[in-house]
Amino acid sequence: MTASPRTRLILMGAPGVGKGTQSNLLESRLGLLPISSGVIFRGEIEAQTDLGRLAQSYIQHGQLVPNGVTIEMMFKRLRSDEVRRHGFILDGFPRTVRQADALDELLLEMETPLTKVIELTLDDKVLMSRLSGRLGCTKCGEIYHSVTKPPKREGLCDRCNSPLFVRSDDKPEAIRERLNVFHKTIEPLRLFYQQRNLLVTLEAGEDPEELYHRIIDSLASHN
Ligand code: AP5
């Protein structure tokens, strides 16, 4: 199997490992639809909805938002014609076995099975430094880093000229808690997709371009 506009992927891995960065590359080059639970939550927070207020109370402390509301929110997005027609990249969902089980059932019902689950791995120290320097575009979602990928003009997006922002959960204390939560929850999820013969694990230390090509190569290989 090779990457195609109907490829359906999960990108899994620790905070800061590069899921959003790879998702943006897969969108711009393959036309896959990025569906990020974090981005959707941040949109709800910005719009000051009830869900946004609830999510914010967990996100600011680096904790997971409860399964029920997360699954409901993601299902609304996944049950669209756009998702049936195109391939997608799920970034940040599922994060628990309960979410993975629910997703399995939904994709079966929609007759849109997953192509692969790509797990990106990286040392916690590197993750810390990636997250502490991250900047994001308020409009187009492009991701920067103050040291390794600075914007050409300070504080402004190269692509759309909009202001850049620092995420409220990229503070040291919240980062530590996010990593802690990640290490406590990843193993059962890994096992879940290993048993379904969908899991590919890639070390994410190299530059985004090289990693992108390894992701594409891994789609062509059989488990
Ligand atoms: P979410 O938004 O999903 O955050 P996350 O999983 O913590 O991941 P990040 O977005 O922080 O990192 P990333 O892997 O996308 O890295 P990026 O590409 O930006 O979730 C936020 C919160 O929402 C959660 O904590 C939780 O509270 C809640 N939530 C979300 N989903 C949920 C769910 N399913 N259930 C319950 N709660 C949920 O890159 C990071 C930095 O590194 C950037 O500066 C980038 O430029 C740089 N970089 C990227 N790749 C490379 C590379 N290859 N080499 C060098 N630098 C790189």
Side-chain angles (χ1 to χ4, degrees):
M1 189 167 319
T2 52
S4 80
R6 303 200 64 149
T7 298
R8 290 180 284 265
L9 282 184
I10 292 178
L11 280 185
M12 207 163 84
V17 77
K19 304 182 294 296
T21 301
Q22 293 303 321
S23 193
N24 286 351
L25 290 174
L26 288 158
E27 177 190 19
S28 64
R29 295 177 188 180
L30 291 182
L32 301 183
L33 197 65
I35 308 177
S36 156
S37 44
V39 168
I40 302 176
F41 277 135
R42 285 187 285 282
E44 296 283 336
I45 293 169
E46 174 96 23
Q48 299 185 2
T49 63
D50 287 345
L51 172 60
R53 274 186 282 278
L54 175 78
Q56 171 70 351
S57 65
Y58 291 91
I59 291 176
Q60 68 186 350
H61 300 297
Q63 288 154 4
L64 293 185
V65 179
N67 280 324
V69 287
T70 303
I71 292 169
E72 194 184 332
M73 173 185 87
M74 292 305 284
F75 277 25
K76 256 191 216 154
R77 185 76 183 85
L78 282 162
R79 278 200 177 104
S80 68
D81 284 346
E82 210 184 4
V83 168
R84 275 179 217 276
R85 279 198 309 270
H86 299 283
F88 59 75
I89 317 141
L90 274 172
D91 159 8
F93 181 87
R95 260 175 155 99
T96 63
V97 170
R98 164 121 182 255
Q99 293 178 12
D101 260 329
L103 176 68
D104 237 20
E105 275 180 36
L106 178 73
L107 296 181
L108 193 67
E109 177 196 312
M110 290 174 65
E111 297 178 15
T112 50
L114 289 169
T115 310
K116 284 259 158 74
V117 176
I118 312 264
E119 182 197 18
L120 303 177
T121 64
L122 201 58
D123 187 83
D124 275 11
K125 266 197 203 140
V126 187
L127 293 170
M128 273 296 228
S129 80
R130 282 192 183 179
L131 290 171
S132 338
R134 172 168 55 191
L135 299 162
C137 176
T138 45
K139 192 167 172 207
C140 74
E142 183 68 1
I143 302 165
Y144 297 87
H145 190 279
S146 54
V147 178
T148 57
K149 193 192 167 193
K152 292 192 180 84
R153 282 155 308 149
E154 198 180 330
L156 292 177
C157 179
D158 296 348
R159 260 170 56 178
C160 71
N161 216 21
S162 302
L164 302 182
F165 77 110
V166 175
R167 269 169 51 176
S168 66
D169 59 347
D170 277 349
K171 296 194 178 85
E173 214 166 286
I175 295 177
R176 272 194 293 276
E177 182 57 15
R178 284 158 68 200
L179 288 173
N180 198 13
V181 169
F182 169 75
H183 288 299
K184 280 192 192 145
T185 50
I186 186 63
E187 205 43 54
L189 210 50
R190 195 178 276 145
L191 198 63
F192 185 95
Y193 287 116
Q194 239 166 19
Q195 285 167 346
R196 285 155 182 77
N197 211 23
L198 286 169
L199 187 72
V200 175
T201 301
L202 300 175
E203 213 275 330
E206 53 203 351
D207 85 27
E209 194 60 36
E210 282 173 32
L211 182 57
Y212 171 80
H213 288 291
R214 281 209 296 132
I215 290 176
I216 297 299
D217 289 348
S218 76
L219 296 177
S221 69
H222 296 280
N223 287 338

